[in-house]
Amino acid sequence: MFALKQRILADGKVLPGGVVKVDSFLNHQLDPSLIVDIGREFAGLFREEGITRILTLEASGIPVAFMAGLELGVPVVFAKKVRAKTQDAEVYWAVVHSFTKGIEYDITVSKAFLEKSDRILIIDDFLALGEAARGLVSIIEQAGASLAGIGIVIEKVFQGGGAKLRAQGIRVESLAMIENITEDGHIVFSEV
Amino acid sequence: MFALKQRILADGKVLPGGVVKVDSFLNHQLDPSLIVDIGREFAGLFREEGITRILTLEASGIPVAFMAGLELGVPVVFAKKVRAKTQDAEVYWAVVHSFTKGIEYDITVSKAFLEKSDRILIIDDFLALGEAARGLVSIIEQAGASLAGIGIVIEKVFQGGGAKLRAQGIRVESLAMIENITEDGHIVFSEV
């Protein structure tokens, strides 16, 4: 998605350790018109998939997932991050390791909001090692629902999470794929 | 807002302690079309206020704030909840006591995303005791920006937070005002 890549180059910041900060438009401050375009792009990519529900993870996945849901006319569910493992028979849950933050957290989704008959699109802002996506996939499996694919705003290809998911046969569509970051901090997108 | 009140009556659940659960359409699962209407309602109420930025709090304030920002054509910033007080000169922060959850947490906003010249609209999903709103107001004061008002989806009038904020001269607009909850768990809206 050209406008997104341009925006990442213009306003993104590269921090040590391959961290790409896009908090001026995507995950702390939101640029509504860009997010509308992102939502439409996801909707266009997955429109033929018979999606019945979108699943994302709080907090920064919410705006883009919401817009995709609005475009596709389906409800959006966001998984909640919980620090303490609370035994609750009413939720599906999965453990996510965040290597960036060096922590482990649980994500939960109320059983009321995923059905066996659902065909689900996962949407998230970032895909790096793929830990959060794997947690969401696990929750969909627990619900016995069907996974249509994963839509990602920014994939950090060099961290390998996308390759692993695709190797499992999962359709992963990323709107901006960062192939690598040079030693002097420049972002190189994949040639697609 | 009639459609919202109808939805609360139809799909909301009243739990012990005056908790109103609306997670089937507002804060776990999202109904995109209802949230579009909510965003438009906020935009209509505050359109003449010269809003330059919207401030909300992750996670459940994000969808409604995003839609209001889209309608008003302004960026949306969401404050982040942090558990551990990390000294960071780059952020404004405030402490929020959550009586419902029995915890205290910090909220932070990057200094880069609030300017002294900003006229800010706070948007949130719930207003009960008003603790989260007070934290957001404090952050706006720290930034030296101007507060245009507060837009709330559901105000629990009986918990008094809204009255306190209005007594300070703050314009608070709530789309559904729950006057009280009867002993047998029925929701009574304020007559407005």
Side-chain angles (χ1 to χ4, degrees):
Chain A
M1 186 180 162
F2 184 75
L4 171 65
K5 290 184 200 169
Q6 292 302 105
R7 188 64 176 271
I8 294 167
L9 292 177
D11 294 337
K13 282 183 190 132
V14 175
L15 303 187
V19 173
V20 179
K21 237 184 140 182
V22 288
D23 58 0
S24 67
F25 57 95
L26 188 65
N27 49 23
H28 184 12
Q29 176 166 256
L30 309 170
D31 174 344
S33 64
L34 178 69
I35 286 166
V36 167
D37 292 343
I38 288 171
R40 286 190 182 143
E41 195 83 12
F42 285 135
L45 285 164
F46 290 98
R47 201 175 294 279
E48 309 304 317
E49 286 284 353
I51 308 296
T52 59
R53 221 175 283 233
I54 288 176
L55 180 63
T56 188
L57 181 56
E58 67 176 7
S60 47
I62 295 176
V64 286
F66 168 79
M67 270 313 304
L70 180 62
E71 289 290 325
L72 289 170
V74 298
V76 176
V77 176
F78 58 92
K80 301 194 173 191
K81 291 178 185 170
V82 289
R83 303 283 168 116
K85 192 171 295 178
T86 44
Q87 294 295 332
D88 184 345
E90 302 304 308
V91 301
Y92 301 115
W93 64 267
V95 181
V96 174
H97 306 263
S98 168
F99 290 94
T100 337
K101 294 185 183 163
I103 57 165
E104 187 169 279
Y105 54 90
D106 286 6
I107 62 174
T108 67
V109 174
S110 168
K111 289 184 178 174
F113 304 134
L114 290 179
E115 285 166 35
K116 216 179 151 95
S117 57
D118 271 324
R119 181 135 174 90
I120 295 173
L121 170 60
I122 291 173
I123 297 275
D124 209 356
D125 58 337
F126 269 96
L127 173 63
L129 294 155
E131 291 294 318
R134 254 191 296 281
L136 293 171
V137 169
S138 160
I139 281 175
I140 291 169
E141 286 169 354
Q142 291 169 46
S146 139
L147 172 65
I150 303 179
I152 296 292
V153 183
I154 303 174
E155 178 177 344
K156 291 156 82 181
V157 178
F158 59 97
Q159 293 191 296
K164 277 189 212 161
L165 292 163
R166 291 182 184 99
Q168 290 171 47
I170 297 171
R171 179 181 173 195
V172 182
E173 299 279 359
S174 301
L175 305 187
M177 300 180 75
I178 298 179
E179 190 68 27
N180 64 60
I181 291 170
T182 63
E183 273 180 32
D184 55 347
H186 287 285
I187 290 171
V188 181
F189 290 111
S190 304
E191 308 268 351
V192 193
Chain B
M1 188 180 160
F2 184 75
L4 172 65
K5 290 183 199 169
Q6 292 302 106
R7 189 62 176 272
I8 293 167
L9 293 177
D11 294 338
K13 281 182 190 137
V14 175
L15 304 187
V19 173
V20 179
K21 237 183 141 182
V22 288
D23 59 359
S24 66
F25 57 94
L26 188 65
N27 48 23
H28 184 12
Q29 177 166 254
L30 308 170
D31 174 343
S33 64
L34 178 68
I35 286 166
V36 167
D37 292 343
I38 288 171
R40 287 191 180 143
E41 195 82 11
F42 284 135
L45 285 164
F46 290 97
R47 200 175 294 281
E48 309 304 319
E49 287 283 354
I51 308 297
T52 59
R53 223 175 280 236
I54 289 176
L55 180 62
T56 188
L57 180 58
E58 68 177 8
S60 46
I62 295 175
V64 285
F66 169 79
M67 269 314 302
L70 180 61
E71 289 290 326
L72 289 170
V74 299
V76 176
V77 176
F78 58 92
K80 301 194 173 191
K81 291 178 186 170
V82 289
R83 302 283 167 116
K85 192 170 296 180
T86 44
Q87 294 296 330
D88 184 344
E90 302 303 307
V91 301
Y92 301 114
W93 64 267
V95 181
V96 174
H97 307 264
S98 169
F99 290 95
T100 337
K101 293 184 183 164
I103 57 164
E104 188 169 280
Y105 55 91
D106 287 6
I107 62 174
T108 67
V109 174
S110 168
K111 289 185 179 175
F113 304 136
L114 289 179
E115 285 167 36
K116 215 178 150 91
S117 58
D118 271 325
R119 182 136 174 89
I120 295 173
L121 171 61
I122 292 173
I123 297 275
D124 209 356
D125 58 339
F126 268 97
L127 173 63
L129 294 156
E131 292 294 318
R134 253 191 295 283
L136 294 172
V137 170
S138 161
I139 280 175
I140 291 170
E141 286 168 354
Q142 291 168 46
S146 137
L147 172 64
I150 303 178
I152 295 293
V153 182
I154 301 173
E155 178 179 344
K156 291 156 84 182
V157 178
F158 59 98
Q159 293 191 298
K164 278 189 210 161
L165 292 163
R166 291 182 185 99
Q168 290 171 48
I170 297 172
R171 179 179 174 198
V172 181
E173 300 279 359
S174 301
L175 305 187
M177 300 179 76
I178 299 179
E179 190 68 28
N180 63 60
I181 293 170
T182 63
E183 274 180 33
D184 55 347
H186 287 286
I187 291 171
V188 181
F189 290 110
S190 304
E191 308 270 351
V192 193

